[in-house]
């Protein structure tokens, strides 16, 4: 280069773009490391917990899942107060137990023969206090449901029992039950077509022996998507309300989306080390923009006369947002969330490069070793997950108030 | 209009709305009498210029004007959705232009509700939830607001549709929901922004009749915006004619028909079906001696359209007798016919045909402006 530089050539001064960026990162690392540690800890724990839960849930976690389904079902059917009381009592007891171990000593003082036989069901040789508490909660919720004669609670409880019996007494591996649970989700939200696909696709993942990696990836995608959506929707709402915010945001979102995704990994590693956390962070940055854009679009698209009607009847802005704008924008916002999930999945392989594990790791090893079998199987598993999540989130809009109203028109 | 003690339900005093950065300067120029097209160099849009009126409680006050005359802007200033550039709006004696936003919201939810041209029903809520919206905003208990919404939906004839969604309703029914939503809010004032303009003529007719019945039984104050003069004449106790943002004339339908303030108004009222507006009282002659008392009398409020048949059959003039049984006038076929001519009645033979009236003043701007506001 210097060979061509003559004395009178016009030289453009070098702007230290990259160096400045590095300085900023170093400054942040030096001054805000506690914050980043906290963020990293929270994200890491949630990914790990979710991933464990998806691949090999404990009896307590399974019981909690059953409780959660029944609690949500009851709460939406006008029993919110009773459910809140039960859950609050559970949390209080749980806290007391964690702090004092009262329950453990009570159980310890009782003759063991009373319940050791029952522990077979939960594959435990000893009595685990949190499990006992959760079982009590389940019984409490079931009795509330019985009052209401809400049959699905019984179905959930039966399914829960079957899973435990199958897993710990008959010795069926949990993967097969998980497939059934995913298929049930597919039937409830989308329909039988997706359920059939789910059973076949997930069985294929099991037969390729990629179940653990797939669940780890699913956990990573779910955590990243959840965080990205939690950040994107408020920003999108702000952008819909203010033209100035929208104008400032547009180039930033463009930047976030077009910057090669690999680049995010470098500072992410600097802040959080290798592992799942930088993978999640890079995924959030890369996948968030459509969530913001479509939230803004959805809210701006709501008929201005409806907003005016809300104002004309004296509704405060917050009530107009909650009661009019968000419900009517929900379909568009869900399309944005769907896009966020798809982009998150596309980041999985890249995240695998920084040790995020899961299917990304499988594919990346396939590349590194030029192993076609490994790479292709990992890729197929990603595709199955992608189709499952895509169809599932696309169907969620069926439950939006606007879509329900439209169905009433047809029916 | 002469009761001086009562506070007007709505009062607009020298109201201006000028969109654009130079609003205040434009107001100065406009208040000197300039036309809004003469201040185009300020790059502003003058929508409402120097509008002053009072609406009495229980009155239907119609604001009538063509598109672009500023009527939608005007109505949105009456409930504070738009802030006036200058001037005062009073609701039940309270100046709303200076209210902070939370008090303004409370005033809207308690005193002023609104019916929209394109209904503005919430598509994701049932008819009942739509009707109950105003009370939901004012945090009325659920059971009470449901009961009141049921009642209002019954008043507008929508029993049995409570659990449908707006999509399932026809245009006329949607606007009934809009009306029920305004009634449920239990405000004393209802603003109606071209409420019936999007409806089919037959349904519009139904709705107009229903509005008159409801107003007669509930005594709400209604400010009604329309571009349809026949509608204005039918509904309005008084009519405010807007032209290019300014008031051209305020008066009862008969005053506007019989004494248009300028050639613009005169041109406008030319095509009105006068027989549906004018009443026996406004065209009758003083009772003459020896009126045939065997002819069945008519009421002074009967519109001419309902008199033609009888006048043509009756050989003698029809006696006009008021509620107390007093003979107040008489009517014959020739009086009826004379009243139908534009500017007929007291104007004698001044304007026999439509073209005749426009000769005196071309509808060009300078002439009518001078005629409009002296």
């Amino acid at each position: 280069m210097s060979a061509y530089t003559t004395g009178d050539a016009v030289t453009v001064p070098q702007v230290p773009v990259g160096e400045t960026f590095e300085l900023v990162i170093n400054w942040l690392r030096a001054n805000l490391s506690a914050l980043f540690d906290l963020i990293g800890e929270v994200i890491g724990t949630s990914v790990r917990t979710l991933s464990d839960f998806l691949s090999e849930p404990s009896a307590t976690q399974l019981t909690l899942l059953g409780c959660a389904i029944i609690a949500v079902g009851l709460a939406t059917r006008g029993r919110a107060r009773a459910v809140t009381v039960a859950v609050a009592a559970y949390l209080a007891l749980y806290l007391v137990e964690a702090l004092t171990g009262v329950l453990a000593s009570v159980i310890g003082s009782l003759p063991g023969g009373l319940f050791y036989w029952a522990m077979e069901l939960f594959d435990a040789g000893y009595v685990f206090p949190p499990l006992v508490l959760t079982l009590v909660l389940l019984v409490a919720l079931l009795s509330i449901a019985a009052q209401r004669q809400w049959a699905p609670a019984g179905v959930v409880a039966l399914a829960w029992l079957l899973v435990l019996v199958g897993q710990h007494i008959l010795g069926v591996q949990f993967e097969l039950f998980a497939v059934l649970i995913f298929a049930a989700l597919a039937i409830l939200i989308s329909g039988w077509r997706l359920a059939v696909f789910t059973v076949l696709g997930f069985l294929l993942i099991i037969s390729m022996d990629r179940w653990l990696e797939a669940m780890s990836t699913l956990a990573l995608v779910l955590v990243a998507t959840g965080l990205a959506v939690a950040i994107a929707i408020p920003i999108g709402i702000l952008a819909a309300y203010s033209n100035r915010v929208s104008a400032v945001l547009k180039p930033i979102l463009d930047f976030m989306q077009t910057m090669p995704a690999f680049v995010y990994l470098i500072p992410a590693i600097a802040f959080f080390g290798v592992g799942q956390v930088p993978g999640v962070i890079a995924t959030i940055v890369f996948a968030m923009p459509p969530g913001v854009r479509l939230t803004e679009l959805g809210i701006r698209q709501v008929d201005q006369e409806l907003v005016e009607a809300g104002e004309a009847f004296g509704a405060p802005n917050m009530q107009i947002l909650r009661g009019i704008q968000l419900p009517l924008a929900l379909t568009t916002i869900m399309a944005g969330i769907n896009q966020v999930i798809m982009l998150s999945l596309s980041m999985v392989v890249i995240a695998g490069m920084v040790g995020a594990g899961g299917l990304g790791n499988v594919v990346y090893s396939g590349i590194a070793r030029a192993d076609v079998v490994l790479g292709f199987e990992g890729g197929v598993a990603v595709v199955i997950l992608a189709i499952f999540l895509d169809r599932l989130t696309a169907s969620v809009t069926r439950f939006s108030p606007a879509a329900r109203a439209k169905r009433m028109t047809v029916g | 209009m002469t009761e001086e003690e009562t506070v007007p339900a709505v009062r607009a005093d020298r109201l201006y709305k000028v969109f654009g950065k130079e609003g205040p300067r434009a107001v100065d120029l406009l208040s000197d009498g300039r036309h809004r097209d003469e201040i185009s160099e300020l790059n502003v849009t003058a929508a409402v210029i120097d509008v002053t009126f009072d609406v009495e409680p229980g009155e239907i006050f119609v604001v009538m004007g063509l598109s672009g005359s500023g009527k939608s802007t005007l109505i949105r200033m009456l409930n504070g959705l738009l802030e006036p550039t200058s001037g005062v709006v009073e609701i039940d004696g309270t100046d709303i232009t200076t209210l902070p936003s939370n008090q303004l919201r409370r005033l809207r939810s308690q005193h002023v509700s609104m019916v929209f041209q394109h209904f503005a029903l919430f598509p994701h809520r049932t008819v009942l939830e739509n009707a109950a919206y105003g009370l939901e905003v004012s945090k009325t208990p659920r059971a009470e607001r449901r009961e009141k919404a049921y009642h209002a939906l019954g008043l507008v004839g929508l029993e049995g549709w409570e659990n449908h969604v707006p999509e399932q309703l026809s245009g006329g029914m949607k606007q009934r929901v809009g009306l029920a939503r305004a009634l449920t809010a239990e405000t004393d004032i209802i603003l109606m922004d071209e409420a019936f303009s999007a409806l089919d003529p037959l349904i519009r007719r139904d709705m107009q009749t229903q509005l008159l019945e409801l107003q007669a039984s509930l005594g709400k104050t209604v400010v009604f915006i329309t571009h349809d003069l026949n509608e204005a004449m039918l509904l309005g106790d008084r009519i405010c004619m807007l032209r290019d943002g300014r008031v051209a004339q305020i008066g009862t339908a008969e005053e506007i028909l019989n004494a248009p303030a300028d050639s613009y108004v005169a041109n406008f009222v030319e095509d009105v079906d006068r027989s549906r507006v004018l009443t026996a009282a406004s065209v009758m002659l003083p009772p003459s001696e020896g009126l045939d008392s065997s002819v069945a009398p008519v009421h002074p409020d009967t519109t001419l359209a309902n008199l033609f048949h009888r006048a043509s059959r009756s050989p003698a003039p029809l006696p006009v007798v008021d509620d107390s049984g007093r003979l107040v006038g008489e009517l014959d076929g020739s009086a009826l016919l004379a009243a139908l001519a534009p500017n007929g009645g007291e104007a004698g033979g001044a304007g026999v045909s439509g073209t005749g009236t426009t000769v005196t003043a071309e509808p060009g701007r300078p002439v009518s402006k001078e005629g409009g506001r002296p």
Side-chain angles (χ1 to χ4, degrees):
Chain A
M1 183 177 133
S2 58
Y4 298 99
T5 313
T6 54
D8 45 333
V10 178
T11 54
V12 178
Q14 274 201 344
V15 181
V17 178
E19 287 84 346
T20 316
F21 185 58
E22 194 184 7
L23 276 180
V24 171
I25 286 175
N26 285 338
W27 186 87
L28 286 175
R29 269 179 76 190
N31 292 285
L32 292 174
S33 65
L35 179 67
F36 290 118
D37 288 350
L38 182 69
I39 296 175
E41 190 58 37
V42 170
I43 292 177
T45 313
S46 26
V47 175
R48 240 173 292 123
T49 313
L50 191 58
S51 156
D52 288 351
F53 174 67
L54 288 171
S55 47
E56 190 75 74
S58 71
T60 314
Q61 285 174 327
L62 269 182
T63 315
L64 258 180
L65 176 66
C67 289
I69 295 173
I70 298 175
V72 170
L74 285 174
T76 53
R77 278 167 184 76
R79 300 299 308 216
R81 197 174 308 158
V83 168
T84 316
V85 169
V87 172
Y90 167 74
L91 289 177
L93 285 173
Y94 195 97
L95 203 66
V96 169
E97 167 60 24
L99 292 175
T100 64
V102 155
L103 193 60
S105 50
V106 170
I107 292 168
S109 65
L110 293 172
L114 270 179
F115 25 64
Y116 279 158
W117 59 271
M119 287 298 118
E120 278 285 292
L121 189 56
F122 309 111
D123 197 31
Y126 57 94
V127 181
F128 184 51
L131 175 58
V132 175
L133 278 177
T134 315
L135 287 173
V136 172
L137 174 66
L138 184 67
V139 171
L141 289 173
L142 279 175
S143 59
I144 298 174
Q147 256 180 8
R148 267 259 138 155
Q149 302 192 322
W150 188 55
V155 176
V156 172
L158 202 65
W160 166 80
L161 207 60
L162 281 178
V163 171
L164 286 176
V165 168
Q167 206 185 347
H168 300 306
I169 296 176
L170 303 179
V172 183
Q173 72 264 47
F174 179 72
E175 283 94 317
L176 295 178
F177 291 112
V179 171
L180 288 180
I181 292 174
F182 285 127
L185 203 61
I187 283 189
L188 282 179
I189 293 178
S190 175
W192 62 271
R193 283 166 210 271
L194 182 60
V196 169
F197 169 84
T198 308
V199 171
L200 295 179
F202 282 29
L203 281 179
L204 183 62
I205 295 180
I206 293 174
S207 79
M208 293 188 299
D209 201 15
R210 292 289 162 233
W211 181 259
L212 288 182
E213 289 91 343
M215 289 305 108
S216 164
T217 291
L218 186 58
L220 191 137
V221 167
L222 288 181
V223 169
T225 309
L227 286 172
V229 169
I231 300 169
I233 287 182
I235 296 180
I237 291 171
L238 276 183
Y241 270 73
S242 153
N243 285 333
R244 197 167 299 166
V245 173
S246 175
V248 171
L249 219 50
K250 201 173 175 331
I252 299 179
L253 293 178
D254 290 341
F255 180 93
M256 283 164 68
Q257 237 178 339
T258 45
M259 180 68 116
F262 290 91
V263 178
Y264 297 127
L265 290 175
I266 309 166
I269 292 172
F271 288 131
F272 303 104
V274 291
Q276 287 170 327
V277 181
V280 171
I281 297 287
T283 306
I284 290 174
V285 177
F286 181 71
M288 198 174 64
V292 178
R293 281 192 224 273
L294 285 164
T295 302
E296 180 186 348
L297 180 71
I299 291 179
R300 283 182 186 262
Q301 267 177 346
V302 172
D303 186 353
Q304 204 48 40
E305 210 185 28
L306 296 181
V307 176
E308 199 177 43
E311 284 173 0
F313 282 90
N317 290 342
M318 203 55 200
Q319 196 173 354
I320 292 175
L321 178 68
R322 264 202 349 249
I324 301 172
Q325 290 173 309
L326 283 182
L328 294 176
L330 195 64
T331 312
T332 314
I333 295 177
M334 279 311 298
I337 295 178
N338 180 283
Q339 286 302 301
V340 172
I341 293 182
M342 292 300 105
L343 284 180
S344 302
L345 267 172
S346 75
M347 273 293 286
V348 159
V349 175
I350 297 172
M353 291 174 57
V354 290
L359 294 173
N361 207 27
V362 175
V363 175
Y364 186 59
S365 315
I367 299 171
R369 289 187 238 152
D371 185 337
V372 178
V373 176
L374 201 60
F376 188 71
E377 286 186 356
V380 167
V382 171
V383 170
I384 291 170
L385 277 186
I387 294 177
F388 173 71
L389 289 174
D390 176 60
R391 302 298 187 274
L392 206 61
T393 46
S395 305
V396 169
T397 45
R398 285 199 311 144
F399 298 95
S400 78
R404 205 181 51 209
K406 198 148 280 171
R407 264 205 308 285
M408 282 177 74
T409 320
V410 178
Chain B
M1 272 173 280
T2 48
E3 303 151 289
E4 270 144 19
E5 275 98 312
T6 56
V7 179
V10 181
R11 202 168 82 84
D13 188 16
R14 299 188 61 86
L15 211 52
Y16 285 84
K17 180 69 190 180
V18 182
F19 296 100
K21 279 181 185 154
E22 295 276 16
R25 253 189 72 201
V27 169
D28 290 343
L29 291 173
L30 290 164
S31 60
D32 290 342
R34 300 244 200 133
H35 189 268
R36 65 176 176 185
D37 289 350
E38 294 173 56
I39 55 164
S40 56
E41 77 276 4
L42 285 181
N43 219 359
V44 293
T45 312
V48 172
I49 304 163
D50 194 19
V51 170
T52 300
F53 59 76
D54 286 354
V55 182
E56 302 303 325
E59 184 182 24
I60 298 188
F61 186 82
V62 175
V63 178
M64 143 85 214
L66 298 179
S67 58
S69 62
K71 52 195 192 305
S72 283
T73 311
L74 176 61
I75 203 171
R76 277 164 179 71
M77 285 193 285
L78 298 183
N79 64 354
L81 285 179
L82 287 177
E83 198 184 334
T85 314
S86 156
V88 172
V89 176
E90 282 179 13
I91 299 290
D92 298 328
T94 314
D95 180 3
I96 68 163
T97 51
T98 55
L99 284 183
S101 65
N102 59 338
Q103 284 182 35
L104 189 59
R105 272 198 290 271
R106 195 173 321 137
L107 179 120
R108 280 187 209 136
S109 86
Q110 289 172 356
H111 295 284
V112 196
S113 54
M114 193 161 175
V115 181
F116 293 82
Q117 179 175 11
H118 300 293
F119 323 131
L121 299 180
F122 305 123
H124 58 300
R125 293 165 152 252
T126 63
V127 166
L128 187 71
E129 288 166 345
N130 264 288
Y133 186 74
L135 293 178
E136 188 182 319
V137 169
S138 63
K139 299 198 171 66
T140 309
R142 188 179 149 85
E144 188 186 337
R145 68 180 189 237
R146 283 175 68 92
E147 189 189 317
K148 286 180 173 165
Y150 264 110
H151 179 69
L153 286 169
L155 283 181
V156 298
L158 281 179
E159 302 97 341
W161 291 90
E162 290 87 354
N163 294 317
H164 289 70
V165 291
E167 283 274 293
Q168 293 168 291
L169 271 52
S170 67
M173 292 163 85
K174 282 181 190 167
Q175 196 55 297
R176 281 167 209 268
V177 179
L179 191 54
R181 181 170 63 180
L183 291 174
T184 310
E186 295 185 318
T187 57
D188 38 346
I189 301 166
I190 299 181
L191 307 179
M192 302 183 77
D193 180 17
E194 300 246 16
F196 304 150
S197 302
L199 303 176
D200 295 336
L202 279 177
I203 293 162
R204 190 185 313 165
R205 188 93 212 161
D206 274 358
M207 293 293 290
Q208 288 163 349
T209 314
Q210 189 167 40
L211 177 66
L212 286 172
E213 286 167 8
L214 282 172
Q215 202 267 349
S217 61
L218 302 175
K220 303 273 185 191
T221 308
V222 178
V223 178
F224 194 100
I225 298 266
T226 184
H227 63 257
D228 174 353
L229 189 61
N230 282 313
E231 185 169 69
M233 298 273 171
L234 178 73
L235 295 176
D237 292 323
R238 282 187 306 146
I239 298 166
C240 167
M241 301 269 292
L242 281 187
R243 184 201 181 183
D244 293 340
R246 289 183 189 270
V247 175
Q249 186 173 8
I250 297 182
T252 64
E254 294 181 2
E255 282 166 8
I256 286 177
L257 267 188
N258 288 329
D262 58 21
S263 62
Y264 175 78
V265 178
N267 258 333
F268 219 104
V269 299
E270 212 174 81
D271 296 331
V272 171
D273 183 354
R274 302 165 71 88
S275 69
R276 293 192 181 279
V277 176
L278 297 179
T279 58
S282 66
V283 299
M284 67 191 177
L285 305 168
S288 55
E289 295 295 320
L291 190 62
D292 188 352
S293 56
S294 65
V295 180
V298 297
H299 192 272
D301 288 348
T302 320
T303 56
L304 302 193
N306 293 323
L307 290 173
F308 288 131
H309 186 70
R310 292 184 46 197
S312 65
R313 291 294 177 85
S314 168
L318 302 169
V320 181
V321 175
D322 68 9
D323 286 329
S324 54
R326 209 160 46 89
L327 179 67
V328 290
E330 66 168 43
L331 263 180
D332 57 13
S334 58
L336 283 180
L337 285 178
L340 290 183
N343 287 352
E346 59 269 67
V352 181
S353 70
T355 47
T357 48
T358 53
V359 172
T360 52
E362 277 301 313
R365 203 159 279 131
V367 176
S368 65
K369 190 167 62 103
E370 282 162 16
R373 293 194 66 81

